[in-house]
């Protein structure tokens, strides 16, 4: 017995449906990025940042960021840019402060994240204000049940092309936020428990390429996750641990089912991806790796 496609259930184990039979949703057409001129490693809130305070080459970071905006433009996406804000060195990771999605009636809503680390909370309003100025409805999500951390598209992914959300939790996002998110969007949410602090966001250890295929880092997940992941994706490709840790190779991004944008030098990962027929687009995000971020974190997909 399968639930109706739009039942807002949270699923932690066995998938009662094939995701490829769920209702479709339109592809995103834009990306939101934040100017990297304010980027820095000024505190340590993930293991990648340790030892890197004050080591960022600002000019190099700005150039790397600019090159990434060019890649998205070249692939046909409209790139929207939020200005840098003094004192918010992680604002550049726009995957984290919000989560846009479409309601069943076609309206777009943006959920405002509840950042785990206090130092990043001021970023939430900066991004929410930008969405509002663009005409979006921003849902701050009820805080009545107390503070439930949620870090946007860092932990929650829309399943490629379908009305389904994959929700990571464990470090930055609490599982208890997902019933609320399922209800807002009227979609099922499949949750995945993260267990390794080096992979503190779902986007560091799961990279869907299309509705059949995803890259993943086995070490990042609770043991039974492979079971859930193989019910979600027909083809699962392992990212070697060294490239996943040192180059955040699983933080690459496939926006269109064809191109995989990834940190340069992740040779084994790139070889696997191109052997499957995807076009690998290498970029250098070395300055951002010092902060525990790479391609996927540096943008938010927009309608
Ligand atoms: N320094 C940032 C943090 O720890 C990096 C965020 C990277 N974002 C991501 N979606 N993985 O919060």
């Amino acid at each position: 017995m399968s639930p109706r496609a739009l039942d807002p259930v949270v699923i932690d184990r066995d998938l009662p449906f094939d995701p490829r039979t769920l209702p479709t949703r339109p592809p995103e057409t834009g990306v939101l990025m934040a100017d990297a001129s304010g980027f820095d490693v000024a505190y340590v809130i993930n293991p990648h940042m340790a030892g890197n305070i004050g080591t960022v080459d600002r000019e190099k970071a700005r150039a790397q960021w600019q090159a990434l905006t060019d890649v998205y433009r070249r692939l046909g996406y409209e790139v929207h840019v939020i200005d840098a804000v003094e004192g918010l060195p992680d604002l550049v990771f726009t995957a984290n402060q919000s989560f846009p999605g479409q309601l069943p009636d076609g309206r777009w809503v943006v959920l405002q994240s509840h950042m785990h680390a206090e130092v990043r909370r001021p970023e939430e309003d900066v991004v929410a204000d930008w969405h509002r100025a663009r005409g979006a409805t921003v849902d701050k999500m009820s805080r009545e049940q107390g503070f439930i951390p949620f870090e946007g598209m860092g932990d929650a992914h829309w399943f490629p092309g379908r009305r389904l959300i994959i929700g990571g939790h464990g470090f930055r996002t609490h599982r208890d936020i997902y019933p609320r998110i399922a209800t807002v969007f009227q979609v099922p949410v499949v949750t995945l428990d993260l267990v390794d602090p080096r992979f503190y966001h779902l986007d560091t250890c799961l990279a869907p390429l299309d509705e059949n295929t995803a890259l993943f880092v086995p070490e990042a997940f609770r043991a039974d996750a492979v079971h859930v992941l193989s019910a979600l994706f027909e083809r699962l490709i392992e990212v070697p641990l060294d490239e996943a840790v040192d180059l955040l190779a699983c933080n690459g991004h496939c926006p269109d089912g064809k191109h995989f944008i990834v940190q340069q030098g992740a040779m084994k990962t790139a070889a696997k991806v191109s052997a499957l027929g995807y076009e690998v687009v290498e970029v250098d995000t070395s300055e951002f790796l010092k902060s525990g971020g790479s391609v996927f974190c540096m943008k938010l997909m927009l309608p």
Side-chain angles (χ1 to χ4, degrees):
M1 231 202 14
S2 71
R4 287 179 309 120
L6 298 178
D7 276 348
V9 288
V10 174
I11 300 160
D12 297 306
R13 278 199 61 86
D14 294 307
L15 242 61
F17 48 70
D18 176 346
R20 285 153 292 273
T21 63
L22 295 177
T24 57
R25 53 182 194 88
E28 290 89 354
T29 59
V31 299
L32 175 62
M33 297 179 66
D35 194 302
S37 45
F39 169 66
D40 199 0
V41 177
Y43 42 75
V44 175
I45 55 171
N46 71 56
H48 303 269
M49 299 171 95
N52 290 333
I53 291 179
T55 67
V56 169
D57 178 335
R58 293 263 190 131
E59 224 165 283
K60 192 170 167 190
R62 182 64 174 58
Q64 291 178 343
W65 175 85
Q66 186 72 50
L68 184 60
T69 66
D70 291 342
V71 168
Y72 279 107
R73 283 195 192 94
R74 208 165 64 233
L75 295 181
Y77 292 87
E78 187 179 351
V79 178
H80 305 264
V81 176
I82 294 187
D83 289 338
V85 175
E86 191 60 46
L88 299 181
D90 275 337
L91 181 65
V92 70
F93 299 114
T94 49
N96 301 153
Q97 306 91 351
S98 67
F99 184 74
Q102 204 175 26
L103 304 184
D105 66 8
R107 278 179 304 141
W108 281 85
V109 167
V110 177
L111 302 185
Q112 180 167 333
S113 298
H114 297 176
M115 301 301 291
H116 185 270
E118 205 170 339
V119 281
R120 292 200 63 188
R121 287 187 202 148
E123 298 172 28
E124 292 172 21
D125 279 333
V126 175
V127 175
D129 287 347
W130 183 88
H131 285 299
R132 272 190 217 100
R134 191 172 176 248
T137 303
V138 176
D139 182 338
K140 294 186 76 156
M141 295 201 286
S142 133
R143 298 183 188 212
E144 284 152 22
Q145 320 146 50
F147 178 75
I148 304 177
F150 170 58
E151 295 205 349
M153 219 169 257
D155 273 320
H157 293 350
W158 281 100
F159 188 86
R162 302 279 169 181
R163 290 193 60 74
L164 170 69
I165 291 170
I166 310 175
H169 60 90
F171 294 102
R172 300 297 188 84
T173 293
H174 196 285
R175 187 203 165 278
D176 288 353
I177 201 69
Y178 288 119
R180 170 87 177 114
I181 293 175
T183 304
V184 170
F185 291 116
Q186 292 292 299
V187 293
V189 177
V190 179
T191 68
L192 290 166
D193 198 354
L194 306 177
V195 297
D196 182 328
R198 294 171 299 180
F199 305 104
Y200 58 97
H201 273 146
L202 184 65
D203 69 11
T204 62
C205 52
L206 179 70
L209 299 180
D210 55 39
E211 67 173 16
N212 299 308
T213 316
L215 304 183
F216 83 121
V217 184
E219 293 84 352
F221 296 95
R222 208 178 60 198
D224 59 357
V226 179
H227 177 74
V228 178
L229 282 169
S230 33
L232 282 169
F233 298 98
E234 287 171 353
R235 199 160 55 171
L236 280 177
I237 299 141
E238 289 189 22
V239 174
L241 187 60
D242 58 340
E243 293 187 353
V245 174
D246 301 339
L247 302 168
L248 291 182
C250 210
N251 196 251
H253 180 217
C254 181
D256 55 2
K258 298 187 189 85
H259 300 87
F260 183 60
I261 313 165
V262 66
Q263 169 60 34
Q264 69 185 31
M267 316 268 275
K268 292 173 277 190
T269 306
K272 289 188 185 201
V273 170
S274 47
L276 292 171
Y278 302 91
E279 188 180 323
V280 174
V281 181
E282 288 197 329
V283 290
D284 189 6
T285 62
S286 62
E287 292 308 301
F288 301 92
L289 293 176
K290 295 175 180 171
S291 187
S294 185
V295 177
F296 192 97
C297 323
M298 293 170 66
K299 57 87 202 82
L300 183 78
M301 297 312 286
L302 289 173

